[in-house]
């Protein structure tokens, strides 16, 4: 079977099922394992599907629901650490920084060091604690209501407080990115906070691993004209 035909069949099969194991793909499409592994690697690199341990899953746009912070922080840890290291390179000494609540921004908070002498604002008590443990002295926690599920501070007080600040650089947590690179979150309050921060920042980055691609959630909070994506791609 020609490679192009195999690719077509694999993509169709994975999209139809949402997720498929290597065993099921090999059996149903009569593709040897060694050939299948090479094909899946190539299809993943070309962004036709997502290769995962033991199989592959579709890149068709899906609806993302909000998970608990404790669940998100244990997902895709290696990817989030890579993203955090790349994001750190975007922070210059003495800059004002906004650090959004979220699991990927949490890993960034863990590696920001005192010697950068940044003034850091955040809507996450957890991030503030991590920054304090790093010896950061200028930490500013926004007022508002604590949303326990995402560990984010939200609400009218948060929004009103943000309107008076301007940040050199901001790092925004994102739940989903569609095929046109529109960015989404699951909550209207959090979306409003992200929009204001992006508007009031010289540079704004969306921190998102590639599992967030080709998906949508409830509320759009930005697009590719406003935010640059930092992912785990080398």
């Amino acid at each position: 079977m020609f490679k192009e035909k195999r690719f077509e069949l694999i993509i169709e099969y994975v999209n139809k099922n949402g997720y498929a194991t290597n065993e099921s793909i090999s059996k149903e499409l009569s593709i040897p394992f060694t050939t299948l592994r090479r094909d899946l690697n190539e299809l993943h690199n070309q962004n036709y599907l997502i290769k995962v341990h033991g199989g592959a899953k579709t890149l068709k746009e899906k609806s993302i629901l909000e998970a608990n912070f404790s669940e998100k922080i244990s997902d895709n840890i290696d990817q989030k650490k890579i993203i955090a290291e790349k994001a750190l390179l975007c922070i210059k000494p003495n800059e004002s920084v906004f650090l959004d609540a979220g699991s990927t921004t949490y890993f960034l908070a863990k590696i920001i060091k005192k010697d950068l002498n940044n003034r850091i604002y955040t809507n996450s008590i957890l991030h503030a604690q991590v920054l304090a443990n790093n010896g950061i002295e200028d930490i500013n926690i926004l007022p508002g209501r604590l949303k326990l599920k995402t560990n984010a501070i939200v609400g009218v007080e948060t929004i009103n407080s943000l309107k008076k600040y301007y940040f050199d650089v901001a790092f925004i947590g994102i739940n989903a990115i569609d095929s046109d690179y529109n960015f989404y979150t699951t909550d209207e309050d959090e979306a409003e906070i992200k929009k204001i921060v992006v508007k009031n920042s010289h540079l704004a980055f969306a921190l998102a691993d590639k599992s967030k691609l080709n998906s949508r959630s409830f509320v759009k909070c930005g697009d590719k004209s406003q935010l640059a994506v930092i992912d785990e791609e080398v």
Side-chain angles (χ1 to χ4, degrees):
M1 188 188 304
F2 290 114
K3 182 169 74 171
E4 290 75 13
K5 184 61 176 178
R6 292 199 311 271
F7 281 10
E8 180 183 336
L9 292 174
I10 292 169
I11 294 167
E12 181 181 358
Y13 184 78
V14 172
N15 284 343
K16 178 181 178 182
N17 291 278
Y19 167 80
T21 64
N22 291 337
E23 290 81 359
S24 66
I25 299 171
S26 177
K27 180 179 179 180
E28 291 297 322
L29 304 181
S30 300
I31 300 174
F33 267 101
T34 53
T35 303
L36 178 62
R37 280 194 287 269
R38 289 195 301 269
D39 288 350
L40 290 179
N41 282 331
E42 193 167 340
L43 288 169
H44 175 89
N45 290 335
Q46 294 179 18
N47 215 31
Y48 285 109
L49 51 72
I50 300 174
K51 184 177 180 290
V52 296
H53 181 70
K57 63 181 182 179
T58 183
L59 265 172
K60 283 185 173 179
E61 290 190 352
K62 51 195 178 293
S63 179
I64 300 296
L65 302 177
E66 186 65 76
N68 287 321
F69 182 82
S70 58
E71 298 172 11
K72 294 194 292 184
I73 204 169
S74 61
D75 288 339
N76 302 321
I77 293 175
D78 291 340
Q79 292 91 328
K80 290 173 181 178
K81 287 182 177 179
I82 292 170
I83 293 168
E85 292 284 355
K86 292 171 70 174
L88 184 63
L89 298 176
C90 301
I91 302 175
K92 297 178 182 178
N94 305 311
E95 286 189 328
S96 59
V97 178
F98 179 81
L99 206 56
D100 193 16
S103 57
T104 308
T105 51
Y106 166 81
F107 286 100
L108 175 56
K110 292 186 72 171
I111 59 174
I112 298 176
K113 300 303 180 185
K114 178 180 179 180
D115 57 10
L116 285 171
N117 194 37
N118 298 120
R119 173 176 290 181
I120 302 180
Y121 290 77
T122 184
N123 62 330
S124 168
I125 294 173
L126 178 60
H127 292 13
Q129 291 173 331
V130 169
L131 292 164
N133 290 339
N134 291 350
I136 308 297
E137 296 179 353
D138 199 344
I139 306 167
N140 302 270
I141 305 174
L142 297 172
R145 170 177 57 86
L146 180 62
K147 182 182 173 185
L148 294 176
K149 190 167 188 177
T150 61
N151 192 48
I153 298 171
V154 299
V156 175
E157 286 183 273
T158 317
I159 291 168
N160 288 339
S161 178
L162 274 171
K163 289 178 180 178
K164 65 184 179 183
Y165 296 120
Y166 178 85
F167 308 105
D168 291 309
V169 61
F171 299 96
I172 306 298
I174 296 296
N175 291 85
I177 305 172
D178 70 18
S179 56
D180 294 319
Y181 273 76
N182 295 303
F183 304 103
Y184 296 85
T185 188
T186 60
D187 179 276
E188 289 185 3
D189 282 346
E190 291 193 47
E192 190 62 27
I193 289 168
K194 296 175 197 293
K195 289 176 183 177
I196 294 171
V197 170
V198 170
K199 181 181 178 181
N200 290 1
S201 299
H202 178 62
L203 293 173
F205 297 95
L207 305 189
D209 64 78
K210 298 198 83 172
S211 70
K212 307 285 180 66
L213 290 174
N214 291 280
S215 58
R216 293 187 180 186
S217 196
F218 298 129
V219 190
K220 180 181 172 182
C221 58
D223 59 44
K224 61 185 177 184
S225 71
Q226 302 165 306
L227 287 145
V229 178
I230 299 178
D231 61 23
E232 69 270 32
E233 286 283 307
V234 178

